[in-house]
Amino acid sequence: MRATRRLTVAAVAATTALTLSACLASPDQGDDQGAESGGPDDPIVIGVSLPLTGDFAEPGKGVQRGYEAWAAHVNENGGLLDRQVELVIVDDQSSADRVASDYERLINQDGVDLIFGPFSTRLVVPAAQVAQDYGFLFVEPAGAAAEVFEQGFDNLFYAAPAIADDHYNHLADHILALPEDERPETIAVASMDDPFAQGTAYGLRDALAAEGIEVVVDEVYPPNTTDFSGIAAKIADSGADLLVVGSQYQDGVNLVVALQQQGYQPEMAAISGAPTNAEFPAAIGDKTEGILAPTGYTPDAPYPSNEEFVAAYSEEHDAEPAEDEANAWTTGQVVAAAVEAVGCADASPECQQQLIDWLHGNEVETVVGPLSWDAQGRPQSAHLIQQYVDGEITIVLPDDVKEADLVHPKPEW
């Protein structure tokens, strides 16, 4: 049996063991669910399964940092409903089968009061199905592919500004508005075989192809790919003006390094996932200038709670938060808003349904801006476009919030 990591962030006696007797035996127990909810002096226990090892470990650990920072901050400021918060975090090892069993166990055996979502569309869908089966609210930080919102879930809410297909909308509009002689004529696309990575890359690909820009390379690679020499050679041989990569983290790094080794120099490079990670510049040899990436978050965003978030996170980690940490914190904000508004935080069907209903009808102020959702849990906003300019990743689109002008063509890497 895998050990469960119980992270107690409550400001209570650390040596006191928590006993949770409100276990749920099966999804069809109905009103017996959560019958023995925690008392006013007990912590609110939140269960989470994250990919702390395996293909998605790097961003999974970022989400973990965000969840932990949120919980610590909440507890330092009185908790939720005047109760402290405790996180129970387990490692799903980037496995869809394991993440489903994790949430089954968190609900049935650990008797958690609430759950937060995992990282990656591949893990969100099976986890959300378990939550739906048990009637639990399911707010998630990183399942943005279109398929997440086509499963019929009515308990799911994505804690970010936009779904994957819409991440590059501002960049597509910018490219199509360029003068004819400046607009790219050809596109090379490479994406991990992952719904989120493909959704992000294909959203841009399809928007441009519909306007006559030719797709000359369109490659999909398995999540465990480490050798990108063949794909890089194909892209370099094409001489495509625009490079579009749908990545998570390490795959994006490895592909960029392979392209540099091939001597390929695109006029524009749009890479989702990897460039927003703080380790990206060092990982590719500090050759980032001109690389574009969509992001749902920037530490400089003017939203009221963002300054508080950046200060709290930076004090603990001696570094500003990135997008994964921000989306995790946002997940906590969304759930907390519902809990405080409804006045309950337990596993009972009545409480969970009240939380779900409240989020369907209300807007929540978060560190990524005000969020509201359609009936399927899609956020009703848009992503920013960032670019490495003078060595710093900077907002360049849309024009009303940009910190610098978009650099085009991209300098050589």
Side-chain angles (χ1 to χ4, degrees):
M1 178 182 294
R2 188 175 73 255
T4 296
R5 177 173 180 238
R6 181 170 289 254
L7 170 73
T8 305
V9 290
V12 295
T15 57
T16 301
L18 175 66
T19 302
L20 294 170
S21 58
C23 295
L24 310 179
S26 67
D28 57 5
Q29 274 190 304
D31 292 340
D32 290 337
Q33 272 188 296
E36 299 179 31
S37 59
D41 296 326
D42 292 330
I44 295 171
V45 183
I46 303 174
V48 191
S49 178
L50 289 174
L52 304 179
T53 56
D55 292 335
F56 306 127
E58 191 69 32
K61 291 174 183 176
V63 173
Q64 178 187 15
R65 289 191 294 270
Y67 281 155
E68 292 176 356
W70 170 83
H73 183 70
V74 165
N75 288 334
E76 289 169 1
N77 289 275
L80 293 180
L81 303 179
D82 297 322
R83 295 165 60 190
Q84 295 287 282
V85 169
E86 179 179 320
L87 300 180
V88 179
I89 299 176
V90 296
D91 178 15
D92 55 47
Q93 301 179 8
S94 303
S95 163
D97 290 337
R98 188 174 288 269
V99 77
S101 63
D102 280 349
Y103 280 102
E104 288 268 3
R105 188 173 70 254
L106 287 165
I107 294 170
N108 277 326
Q109 297 180 23
D110 292 343
V112 299
D113 299 302
L114 304 166
I115 56 176
F116 287 171
F119 178 88
S120 165
T121 290
R122 288 182 179 275
L123 304 180
V124 161
V125 171
Q129 185 61 62
V130 173
Q132 177 97 339
D133 290 344
Y134 285 94
F136 266 62
L137 169 67
F138 190 79
V139 181
E140 51 96 356
E147 71 178 65
V148 172
F149 310 96
E150 297 168 354
Q151 307 297 316
F153 299 133
D154 59 13
N155 62 328
L156 180 146
F157 301 84
Y158 178 40
I163 68 169
D165 290 5
D166 299 331
H167 280 190
Y168 275 122
N169 284 357
H170 289 307
L171 181 59
D173 291 343
H174 174 84
I175 291 172
L176 294 174
L178 288 172
E180 196 76 26
D181 59 345
E182 296 181 23
R183 187 186 302 177
E185 297 180 357
T186 54
I187 312 169
V189 182
S191 178
M192 176 191 283
D193 185 8
D194 173 83
F196 171 77
Q198 289 173 292
T200 302
Y202 296 170
L204 179 58
R205 178 199 68 184
D206 294 348
L208 299 180
E211 297 299 322
I213 300 178
E214 183 183 4
V215 179
V216 293
V217 176
D218 199 347
E219 292 288 316
V220 178
Y221 54 86
N224 58 356
T225 300
T226 56
D227 181 1
F228 286 89
S229 57
I231 293 175
K234 187 176 293 188
I235 292 172
D237 288 345
S238 77
D241 302 323
L242 169 61
L243 170 69
V244 179
V245 176
S247 73
Q248 292 289 354
Y249 174 70
Q250 193 59 53
D251 58 307
V253 168
N254 292 345
L255 178 54
V256 169
V257 170
L259 289 168
Q260 291 172 349
Q261 292 171 346
Q262 289 285 338
Y264 170 61
Q265 300 292 347
E267 295 180 6
M268 187 176 286
I271 304 173
S272 64
T276 57
N277 191 292
E279 288 77 27
F280 181 71
I284 68 165
D286 292 314
K287 297 180 179 180
T288 58
E289 198 68 13
I291 293 176
L292 293 150
T295 184
Y297 176 74
T298 169
D300 299 320
Y303 307 120
S305 65
N306 188 49
E307 183 176 342
E308 185 178 18
F309 165 47
V310 173
Y313 185 89
S314 300
E315 181 178 356
E316 180 176 353
H317 293 279
D318 198 30
E320 289 186 333
E323 185 174 10
D324 292 328
E325 290 86 349
N327 287 351
W329 185 288
T330 301
T331 297
Q333 286 185 299
V334 170
V335 173
V339 165
E340 295 287 357
V342 171
C344 73
D346 62 67
S348 69
E350 295 81 8
C351 177
Q352 295 292 327
Q353 191 60 52
Q354 288 179 61
L355 298 173
I356 292 166
D357 291 344
W358 190 86
L359 286 177
H360 276 304
N362 290 275
E363 183 178 85
V364 179
E365 293 294 332
T366 78
V367 300
V368 300
L371 294 182
S372 59
W373 300 267
D374 67 10
Q376 289 74 43
R378 298 180 187 90
Q380 304 296 287
S381 190
H383 265 43
L384 306 171
I385 301 298
Q386 293 184 308
Q387 185 177 41
Y388 278 91
V389 179
D390 295 331
E392 299 291 334
I393 193 162
T394 304
I395 299 171
V396 293
L397 293 172
D399 288 338
D400 60 346
V401 296
K402 71 179 182 181
E403 301 166 332
D405 292 329
L406 189 149
V407 176
H408 177 67
K410 186 185 84 65
E412 292 189 358
W413 51 24

